[in-house]
C-alpha cells in the first residue's frame, strides 16, 4: 500500500513538474518572440558581438562543477552557489540556467575532485581546471568538446582582442593536437616576472640604500636580521613554504610567492625551465652550473641565518610576512597588496616596495610565464547549445566584470576564467598615473568592450585611494578605507612599477610549458628527486656536491629521454 | 530483510572491485574500464623499477610497526598506572584530558605538532635554555619517522587505554585481596594479578592490529611531510595519492594500491589465524 502511494505521488509530481517546465518554456518563448529578433527565423542570422551576447529563446541548462572558497563570506543570506546575483544575471540576460553538480574547496580538495571526475570519465558540461595536465589528460582521453568552430563564431570582439594580445600563445595553450578543446585563461605577462618585495620603511630606518644586486640583497638581509626590527623572530628573507616552490617551473610558471626566482634570474639561472641552447639542443635549467652556483649561494645564506629558518616547512609563506617579521620576500606584482594584506593591517607604516634584482654586471634577467594556467573544459557530451552558452558566459564576464557589484566576490561567477590582456597591468599603470596627474579624466576610459575591461572602474576610484604626491608612491599615499580597492591599486602602482618602467635585459621563455609523453609517466619521479635535492642543499642537509649526483641520476632515470623529446618540439 | 543489506553490499563493496582491473590496463577515462588497453603486469613492473617503491614500502612498514607496538604498550602501561590511583575524581580528570586529542583531526593536530616542534616551538625553546642550537625537526629526515610514531601515540594512547581500563574492571577483586594477604606488595600485585589478567586482551589487540600494518596513517603523514622528509616519511598511501590524484597516473596508482591490498590481505589472514590460536578469537 505504502509503495503504491509513493508511486502515485511521484507520478503526480512528475506530471506537475513537466507541465511547469513546458509552461515556463512557452511563456519564455513568447517573451522571446516579442523582445528579441533572433528567434525570428525571418531575420538575418546574427554574427559578431550580437551572436556573442545573444539570448537563448529557450532556457539552456548548464551543468558545472565549481571551486568555492570556504572562507568567502560575501554571498548574501539566502543566496547559494547556484542562486546568486551572477546566476540570476545569466538567467535574466541570456536565459542560461546554471546547475551546480558539485562544489569543492579551493586547493587540494578541488584538484582531487577534478582528478576523480576525469578518472571517472563523467565530466559536467563545464568546469574550470587549474592545471594544464588535467586539460590534456581529459583531452587525450577523448572527453572534451572540440570548440574550434563554435569559439570562432561566438567569441566577442573583446575576447578576440584579448586572445590576439598573446600573439597566438593563448590559442595554442588551449588546444590539444591542433583542436581547441578549452577556453584558456589569459593572465597578464607580469604574473610570471617575480620581483623583490622589501620593507622600505625599515631600509630608511637603517639608512640603507635599496639593494640592487645579489650581493646587495645579502648585505641588506644581514642588516635586517641584525636590526631585529621585526622582533625576536626577525627574518631577513622569507622563503618558500611547503605549498610553494623554490622557483617557478615550466608547468607552474607564474605566481610563485616566496620562491627565490629573482635570485636565480640574477645568477642567470632558470631552474625548472627548458632552455633553448640555440643550436637545436635543449637543457633543463635545473641541471645547469648556474643553478648549482645559486643553490650554493642560497645554502650559504641559509647557514648565515639570512633566510627564514623554517623555510620549506611552513604552511604558508605569508604568515611571517603578515606578522611583520620579514624584511624581504620575492613574488609577482600582486603579492604586495594581496599576499601581504594583513601586514598593512597590522602595521600601517609597512611600506612594501618592489624592485628588480640585478646580476653583478647590472642585467635584469627574468623568466617569462605561459599565457595562462586555468582552462574551462567542456564535456564532449555537452549539447551544442550548452557549449554556446558557456562561450556567452565567458564573453559576459569579460565585458561586464567591472559593472558587477563586486561586494559579492566575483569568484562566485559560474565558470569564472580570468581573461585579461597580456599587457593590462602596464597599460593600467601608465593610464592611472595620467588620471592621478590630471592629464586624463576617468570618463575618457568609458569605452564599452574595451580590451582593458577594468580600466574605467579603476580610473573612477583611483583618486579616492591614492593621495598626492604622485611622483614617488609609498604606503602613506594610499587609503585603506576600501581594502579591496587598496589591494588592487597598490599591486598595480607599486608591484607592477618595475615591470612597466624598467627595461628587462633578458626574457627567458621555456621551450615548452607542457608535458611530453614520457613525462606523463616519469616526471613525477624526477620532480620528486629535484625537490628533495634542491631543498636539502638549501637547508644544508646535503652538500653542494650532491647536486652532481642528482644531475647524473636525473639524466639516467628518464631525463635524457625527455630532453630529447623537448628538443624535438624545438624543430617544429 | 536481508535484501537492503545485500544490495548495499553489492553496490558499494562488490561492484567497485572491478576497478582493480585498472591496474592491468593503460586506463583511459574516455574509453572506460571495458575498452581501455590491456597491458598485463606493465604497471607493476614499472612500479618496482621506481626507486621510490622500495623507500615507500620500507617507510610504511617501519612507521606502521612502530605505531602498532607503541600503541599497544604505552596505553597498557598508562592504564595500569591509572588503575593504581586512589582518587576517583583525579583518575577521571586524567582520563578525560588524555583522550581529548583522539577527537581532533590531523589537520588540526598537525598545526599543534608544528607549533611544538617548529623552529620557535616549545621543544626548541626548552633545548635553547640548555644551550642547544634550535633545530628544524619538521625538515629532518632522520627523526621524521620517530616524530610520526610519537605524535600518533600521543594522540591515541588515552583513547586506546579505554579497552584496558575496561578489562581491568573485570578482574576479580578477591584475587588482589588474596594476594595481599599472602604478602604481595603493589608491584607484585601488578605483576602477578593485573598483567596475567590483561594478557589475552593485549594479545588480541596486537594480533588484530596486524591487519592494519600497512595503514601507516595517510592523514597524519600528508599533513606533516614535505619534500625534505620524503626519504623517510613517504608512505604507500601518500605515494598513491601523489601518483594518482596529483599526477593523474590512474593505472599506476591503482597498481600500487592493489599491491598494498594484497599484502594487507595476507596479513589479515595470518592475524586471524594467530588470534584464533592465542586468544581464541574468531569472527566467523
Amino acid at each position: 500500500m505504502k509503495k503504491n502511494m509513493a508511486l502515485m505521488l511521484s507520478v503526480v509530481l512528475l506530471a506537475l513538474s513537466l507541465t511547469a517546465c513546458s509552461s515556463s518554456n512557452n511563456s519564455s518563448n513568447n517573451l522571446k518572440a516579442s523582445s528579441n529578433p533572433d528567434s525570428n527565423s525571418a531575420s538575418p542570422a546574427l554574427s559578431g558581438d550580437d551572436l556573442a551576447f545573444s539570448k537563448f529563446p529557450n532556457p539552456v541548462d548548464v551543468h558545472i562543477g565549481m571551486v568555492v572558497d570556504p572562507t568567502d563570506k560575501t554571498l548574501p543570506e539566502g543566496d547559494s552557489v547556484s542562486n546568486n546575483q551572477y546566476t540570476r544575471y545569466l538567467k535574466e540576460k541570456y536565459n542560461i540556467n546554471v546547475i551546480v553538480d558539485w562544489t569543492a574547496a579551493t586547493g587540494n580538495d578541488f584538484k582531487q575532485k577534478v582528478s576523480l571526475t576525469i578518472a571517472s570519465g563523467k565530466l559536467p558540461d563545464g568546469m574550470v581546471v587549474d592545471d594544464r595536465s588535467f586539460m590534456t589528460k581529459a583531452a587525450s582521453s577523448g572527453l572534451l568538446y572540440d570548440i574550434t568552430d563554435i569559439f570562432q563564431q561566438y567569441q566577442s570582439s573583446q575576447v578576440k582582442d584579448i586572445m590576439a594580445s598573446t600573439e597566438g600563445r593563448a590559442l595554442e595553450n588551449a588546444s590539444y593536437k591542433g583542436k581547441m578543446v578549452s577556453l584558456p585563461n589569459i593572465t597578464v605577462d607580469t604574473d610570471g616576472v617575480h620581483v623583490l618585495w622589501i620593507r622600505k620603511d625599515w631600509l630608511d630606518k637603517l639608512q640603507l640604500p635599496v639593494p640592487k644586486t645579489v650581493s646587495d640583497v645579502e648585505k641588506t638581509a644581514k642588516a635586517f636580521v641584525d636590526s631585529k626590527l621585526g622582533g625576536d623572530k626577525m627574518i631577513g628573507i622569507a622563503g618558500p613554504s611547503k605549498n610553494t616552490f623554490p622557483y617557478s617551473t615550466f608547468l607552474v610558471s607564474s605566481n610563485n610567492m616566496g620562491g627565490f626566482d629573482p635570485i636565480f634570474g640574477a645568477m642567470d639561472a632558470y631552474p625548472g625551465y627548458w632552455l633553448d641552447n640555440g643550436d637545436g639542443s635543449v637543457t633543463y635549467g635545473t641541471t645547469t652550473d648556474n643553478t648549482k652556483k645559486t643553490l650554493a649561494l642560497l645554502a650559504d645564506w641559509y647557514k648565515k641565518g639570512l633566510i627564514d629558518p623554517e623555510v620549506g616547512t611552513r604552511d604558508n609563506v605569508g604568515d611571517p610576512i603578515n606578522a611583520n617579521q620579514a624584511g624581504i620576500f620575492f613574488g609577482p606584482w600582486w603579492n604586495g597588496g594581496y599576499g601581504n594584506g594583513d601586514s598593512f593591517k597590522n602595521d600601517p607604516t609597512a611600506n612594501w616596495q618592489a624592485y628588480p634584482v640585478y646580476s653583478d654586471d647590472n642585467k635584469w634577467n627574468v623568466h617569462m610565464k605561459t599565457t595562462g594556467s586555468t582552462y574551462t573544459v567542456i564535456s564532449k557530451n555537452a549539447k551544442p547549445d550548452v557549449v554556446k552558452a558557456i562561450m556567452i558566459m565567458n564573453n559576459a564576464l569579460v565585458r561586464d566584470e567591472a559593472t558587477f557589484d563586486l561586494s559579492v566576490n566575483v569568484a562566485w561567477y559560474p565558470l569564472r576564467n580570468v581573461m585579461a590582456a597580456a599587457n593590462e597591468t602596464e597599460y593600467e599603470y601608465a593610464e592611472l598615473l595620467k588620471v592621478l596627474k590630471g592629464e586624463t579624466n576617468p570618463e575618457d576610459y568609458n569605452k564599452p568592450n574595451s580590451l582593458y575591461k577594468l580600466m574605467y572602474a579603476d580610473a573612477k576610484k583611483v583618486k579616492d585611494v591614492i593621495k598626492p604626491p604622485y611622483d614617488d608612491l609609498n604606503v602613506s599615499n594610499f587609503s585603506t578605507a576600501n581594502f579591496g580597492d587598496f589591494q588592487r591599486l597598490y599591486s598595480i602602482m607599486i608591484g607592477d612599477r618595475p615591470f612597466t618602467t624598467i627595461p628587462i635585459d633578458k626574457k627567458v621563455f621555456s621551450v615548452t610549458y607542457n608535458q611530453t609523453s614520457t613525462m606523463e609517466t616519469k616526471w613525477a619521479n624526477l620532480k620528486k628527486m629535484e625537490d628533495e635535492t634542491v631543498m636539502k642543499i638549501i637547508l644544508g642537509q646535503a652538500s653542494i656536491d650532491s647536486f652532481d649526483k642528482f644531475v647524473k641520476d636525473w639524466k639516467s632515470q628518464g631525463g635524457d629521454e625527455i630532453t630529447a623529446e623537448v628538443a624535438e618540439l624545438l624543430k617544429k | 530483510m536481508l535484501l537492503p543489506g545485500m544490495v548495499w553490499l553489492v553496490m558499494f563493496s562488490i561492484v567497485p572491485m572491478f576497478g582493480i582491473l585498472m591496474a592491468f590496463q593503460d586506463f583511459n577515462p574516455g574509453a572506460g574500464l571495458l575498452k581501455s588497453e590491456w597491458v598485463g603486469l606493465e604497471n607493476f613492473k614499472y612500479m618496482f623499477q621506481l626507486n621510490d617503491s622500495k623507500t615507500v614500502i620500507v617507510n610504511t612498514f617501519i612507521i606502521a610497526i612502530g605505531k602498532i607496538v607503541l600503541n599497544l604498550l604505552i596505553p597498557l602501561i598508562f592504564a595500569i598506572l591509572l588503575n593504581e590511583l586512589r582518587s576517583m575524581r583525579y583518575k577521571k580528570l586524567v582520563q578525560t584530558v588524555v583522550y581529548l586529542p583522539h577527537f581532533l583531526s590531523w589537520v588540526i593536530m598537525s598545526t599543534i605538532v608544528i607549533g611544538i616542534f617548529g623552529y620557535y616551538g616549545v621543544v626548541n625553546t626548552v633545548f635553547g635554555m640548555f644551550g642547544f642550537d634550535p633545530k628544524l625537526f619538521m625538515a629532518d629526515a632522520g627523526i621524521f619517522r620517530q616524530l610520526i610514531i610519537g605524535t600518533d601515540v600521543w594522540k591515541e594512547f588515552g583513547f586506546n587505554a579505554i579497552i584496558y581500563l575496561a578489562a581491568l574492571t573485570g578482574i576479580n577483586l578477591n584475587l588482589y585481596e588474596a594476594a595481599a594477604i599472602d604478602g604481595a606488595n603493589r608491584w607484585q600485585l601488578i605483576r602477578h594479578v593485573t598483567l596475567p589478567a590483561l594478557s589475552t586482551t593485549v594479545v588480541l589487540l596486537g594480533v588484530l592490529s596486524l591487519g592494519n600494518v600497512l595503514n601507516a596513517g595517510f592523514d597524519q603523514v600528508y599533513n606533516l611531510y614535505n619534500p625534505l622528509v620524503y626519504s623517510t616519511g613517504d608512505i604507500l598511501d601518500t605515494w598513491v595519492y601523489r601518483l594518482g590524484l596529483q599526477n593523474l597516473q590512474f593505472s599506476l596508482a591503482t597498481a600500487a594500491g592493489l599491491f598494498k591490498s594484497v599484502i594487507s590481505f595476507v596479513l589479515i589472514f595470518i592475524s586471524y589465524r594467530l588470534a584464533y590460536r592465542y586468544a581464541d578469537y574468531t569472527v566467523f
Side-chain angles (χ1 to χ4, degrees):
Chain A
M1 190 57 208
K2 258 186 188 162
K3 223 191 231 171
N4 288 338
M5 280 286 282
L7 195 67
M8 259 179 48
L9 198 67
S10 55
V11 168
V12 170
L13 276 176
L14 191 68
L16 269 176
S17 62
L18 279 176
T19 49
C21 276
S22 56
S23 66
S24 71
N25 278 355
N26 288 339
S27 63
S28 63
N29 266 338
N30 297 340
L31 257 178
K32 286 300 302 168
S34 56
S35 69
N36 198 329
D38 81 73
S39 62
N40 185 344
S41 55
S43 71
L46 292 174
S47 63
D49 274 5
D50 292 333
L51 190 61
F53 294 102
S54 57
K55 184 174 183 178
F56 287 96
N58 299 315
V60 173
D61 289 350
V62 179
H63 291 260
I64 65 169
M66 187 162 171
V67 63
V68 294
D69 177 357
T71 60
D72 185 280
K73 299 275 181 282
T74 58
L75 268 190
E77 187 79 28
D79 277 6
S80 68
V81 61
S82 50
N83 180 14
N84 55 53
Q85 63 170 31
Y86 299 114
T87 60
R88 289 192 291 269
Y89 158 89
L90 290 170
K91 172 77 186 134
E92 266 164 46
K93 288 202 103 166
Y94 307 105
N95 221 353
I96 296 170
N97 274 333
V98 175
I99 298 166
V100 181
D101 285 355
W102 50 258
T103 59
T106 33
N108 278 335
D109 272 8
F110 182 68
K111 280 184 198 293
Q112 195 172 321
K113 183 74 194 173
V114 169
S115 182
L116 286 170
T117 312
I118 294 172
S120 74
K122 293 191 181 69
L123 266 52
D125 291 332
M127 62 178 179
V128 179
V129 301
D130 57 356
D131 188 329
R132 195 170 192 276
S133 48
F134 288 138
M135 189 273 271
T136 51
K137 183 78 186 179
S140 67
S141 306
L143 295 171
L144 298 187
Y145 203 99
D146 176 2
I147 60 170
T148 316
D149 298 329
I150 295 189
F151 181 73
Q152 283 310 320
Q153 237 183 321
Y154 272 79
Q155 61 179 339
S156 67
S157 52
Q158 212 177 2
V159 169
K160 199 177 209 164
D161 288 347
I162 293 175
M163 291 286 285
S165 76
T166 67
E167 289 152 8
R169 285 186 288 142
L171 182 65
E172 194 197 319
N173 194 27
S175 302
Y176 182 79
K177 292 198 172 158
K179 285 179 187 149
M180 187 174 182
V181 289
S182 66
L183 290 172
N185 85 329
I186 300 168
T187 53
V188 292
D189 275 343
T190 177
D191 273 1
V193 177
H194 296 166
V195 287
L196 164 109
W197 284 95
I198 192 165
R199 282 289 294 262
K200 183 76 172 29
D201 54 323
W202 288 355
L203 276 183
D204 294 343
K205 254 184 214 160
L206 301 173
Q207 294 179 328
L208 291 169
V210 172
K212 211 168 172 237
T213 63
V214 173
S215 25
D216 293 345
V217 172
E218 179 174 342
K219 277 177 226 144
T220 312
K222 177 91 176 57
F224 275 170
V225 172
D226 293 343
S227 74
K228 297 269 176 206
L229 279 167
D232 278 348
K233 297 175 182 177
M234 178 75 192
I235 292 165
I237 304 170
S241 55
K242 64 182 186 187
N243 300 310
T244 59
F245 317 101
Y247 40 80
S248 294
T249 63
F250 69 106
L251 287 174
V252 186
S253 61
S254 61
N255 292 337
N256 182 30
M257 182 178 184
F260 297 118
D261 302 76
I263 301 296
F264 282 101
M267 300 286 283
D268 204 17
Y270 310 93
Y273 270 44
W274 291 96
L275 308 173
D276 181 351
N277 296 336
D279 58 357
S281 67
V282 295
T283 308
Y284 185 55
T286 309
T287 61
T288 59
D289 275 348
N290 284 351
T291 298
K292 184 178 171 183
K293 276 181 209 148
T294 319
L295 287 177
L297 177 78
L298 290 171
D300 184 46
W301 286 6
Y302 184 81
K303 206 171 142 205
K304 289 178 180 160
L306 308 183
I307 296 175
D308 178 8
E310 293 186 84
V311 69
T313 61
R314 280 184 193 275
D315 281 342
N316 184 358
V317 50
D319 294 344
I321 296 168
N322 282 313
N324 289 317
Q325 292 168 348
I328 296 172
F329 72 97
F330 305 103
W333 65 287
W334 56 266
N335 268 170
Y338 292 97
N340 60 358
D342 284 349
S343 165
F344 302 104
K345 288 181 183 162
N346 296 333
D347 176 4
T349 64
N351 187 20
W352 287 102
Q353 295 286 324
Y355 304 98
V357 178
Y358 292 91
S359 63
D360 283 334
D361 55 352
N362 283 318
K363 295 266 189 307
W364 186 19
N365 309 323
V366 301
H367 60 58
M368 302 297 291
K369 67 177 199 62
T370 179
T371 54
S373 50
T374 69
Y375 307 82
T376 307
V377 296
I378 300 165
S379 165
K380 184 186 64 183
N381 299 322
K383 297 192 185 76
D385 264 359
V386 171
V387 181
K388 288 169 190 163
I390 292 174
M391 305 289 139
I392 290 171
M393 285 163 72
N394 185 49
N395 296 333
L397 175 68
V398 174
R399 186 185 68 181
D400 293 346
E401 180 171 347
T403 67
F404 290 146
D405 166 18
L406 292 178
S407 66
V408 178
N409 192 338
V410 68
W412 292 105
Y413 191 93
L415 298 183
R416 174 174 183 252
N417 202 8
V418 179
M419 274 198 175
N423 63 349
E424 187 184 79
T425 46
E426 298 105 279
Y427 173 82
E428 285 225 353
Y429 173 84
E431 297 303 318
L432 287 174
L433 210 54
K434 284 187 199 160
V435 176
L436 285 175
K437 290 182 174 165
E439 292 163 19
T440 54
N441 289 315
E443 281 310 313
D444 298 347
Y445 303 97
N446 188 3
K447 299 173 197 150
N449 292 342
S450 158
L451 175 59
Y452 307 103
K453 59 195 160 90
L454 298 176
M455 183 64 218
Y456 178 46
D458 284 343
K460 278 194 291 190
K461 58 194 169 206
V462 67
K463 281 200 166 171
D464 297 336
V465 179
I466 306 181
K467 294 171 279 187
Y470 302 125
D471 286 330
D472 190 18
L473 294 173
N474 289 302
V475 73
S476 50
N477 291 78
F478 287 77
S479 146
T480 52
N482 181 328
F483 206 74
D485 291 346
F486 162 76
Q487 286 179 304
R488 175 159 175 84
L489 291 170
Y490 199 83
S491 299
I492 293 179
M493 300 312 289
I494 306 286
D496 207 42
R497 186 167 52 192
F499 183 72
T500 308
T501 57
I502 302 169
I504 293 172
D505 294 295
K506 185 172 173 187
K507 289 183 177 180
V508 175
F509 287 88
S510 181
V511 173
T512 178
Y513 291 97
N514 305 316
Q515 290 206 340
T516 62
S517 54
T518 308
M519 281 191 213
E520 277 170 28
T521 49
K522 299 201 168 159
W523 194 249
N525 182 36
L526 293 177
K527 187 69 175 56
K528 188 193 134 176
M529 265 167 49
E530 183 180 334
D531 291 346
E532 220 175 339
T533 310
V534 165
M535 284 311 289
K536 281 198 163 164
I537 290 177
I538 294 178
L539 266 71
Q541 296 183 358
S543 72
I544 188 69
D545 297 329
S546 66
F547 185 84
D548 300 327
K549 185 177 175 300
F550 156 71
V551 174
K552 215 174 111 221
D553 290 347
W554 186 89
K555 285 184 170 167
S556 66
Q557 291 183 28
D560 276 339
E561 220 175 311
I562 293 169
T563 308
E565 281 180 353
V566 177
E568 276 302 306
L569 294 173
L570 209 55
K571 286 184 188 149
K572 285 174 191 163
Chain B
M1 284 319 284
L2 203 59
L3 192 68
M6 295 297 284
V7 171
W8 180 87
L9 193 72
V10 170
M11 270 177 65
F12 294 106
S13 297
I14 302 205
V15 174
M17 290 293 282
F18 290 102
I20 288 174
L21 293 178
M22 251 195 242
F24 307 96
Q25 294 178 330
D26 179 13
F27 180 67
N28 176 334
L33 214 46
L34 295 175
K35 290 179 191 151
S36 288
E37 194 191 334
W38 287 95
V39 293
L41 293 176
E42 265 323 292
N43 289 318
F44 292 90
K45 278 187 199 146
Y46 179 64
M47 181 175 94
F48 288 110
Q49 272 169 23
L50 288 174
N51 292 348
D52 284 4
S53 54
K54 208 180 121 224
T55 325
V56 165
I57 292 166
V58 169
N59 289 341
T60 311
F61 269 104
I62 294 180
I63 292 175
I65 291 174
K67 279 184 180 178
I68 286 174
V69 171
L70 290 179
N71 271 329
L72 274 180
L73 292 183
I74 307 282
L76 176 70
I77 295 167
F78 172 71
I80 291 172
L81 292 178
L82 201 63
N83 197 45
E84 295 297 313
L85 282 178
R86 288 285 141 81
S87 157
M88 273 312 270
R89 273 176 68 184
Y90 183 63
K91 211 163 136 178
K92 284 268 179 270
L93 181 77
V94 170
Q95 218 185 320
T96 312
V97 170
V98 297
Y99 82 43
L100 268 182
H102 169 79
F103 297 99
L104 298 177
S105 74
W106 270 112
V107 178
I108 296 164
M109 288 294 284
S110 64
T111 327
I112 299 173
V113 170
I114 291 173
I116 295 174
F117 293 99
Y119 195 76
Y120 297 107
V122 181
V123 176
N124 271 330
T125 314
V126 173
F127 276 22
M129 290 173 193
F130 296 98
F132 290 100
D133 284 334
K135 212 165 142 45
L136 196 49
F137 294 107
M138 303 311 297
D140 188 340
I143 61 156
F144 188 73
R145 282 185 202 137
Q146 288 90 315
L147 203 69
I148 287 286
I149 297 170
T151 52
D152 185 66
V153 170
W154 168 56
K155 183 174 183 296
E156 301 296 341
F157 82 94
F159 195 79
N160 290 341
I162 289 175
I163 296 178
Y164 294 121
L165 287 171
L168 282 170
T169 57
I171 301 175
N172 191 343
L173 288 177
N174 292 340
L175 291 175
Y176 287 106
E177 220 170 290
I181 290 168
D182 286 346
N185 59 27
R186 250 173 128 166
W187 169 237
Q188 284 165 327
L189 285 178
I190 293 176
R191 210 180 135 206
H192 296 291
V193 182
T194 315
L195 278 180
L198 285 179
S199 65
T200 41
T201 316
V202 176
V203 171
L204 178 67
L205 288 177
V207 163
L208 286 183
S209 56
L210 260 186
N212 250 339
V213 79
L214 288 189
N215 290 330
F218 172 82
D219 293 2
Q220 185 191 11
V221 175
Y222 181 74
N223 279 301
L224 289 172
Y225 81 160
N226 56 63
L228 286 162
V229 293
Y230 276 166
S231 57
T232 56
D234 204 9
I235 57 172
L236 269 164
D237 289 328
T238 49
W239 192 51
V240 167
Y241 176 82
R242 284 208 315 277
L243 282 180
L245 287 172
Q246 295 188 340
N247 296 307
L248 301 172
Q249 298 187 42
F250 305 126
S251 291
L252 190 58
T254 315
L258 182 59
F259 171 72
K260 182 189 150 181
S261 303
V262 170
I263 298 188
S264 294
F265 176 76
V266 172
L267 289 169
I268 288 174
F269 185 77
I270 295 173
S271 67
Y272 276 146
R273 293 301 295 265
L274 291 175
Y276 179 62
R277 177 171 299 175
Y278 293 106
D280 209 16
Y281 173 89
T282 49
V283 175
F284 302 109

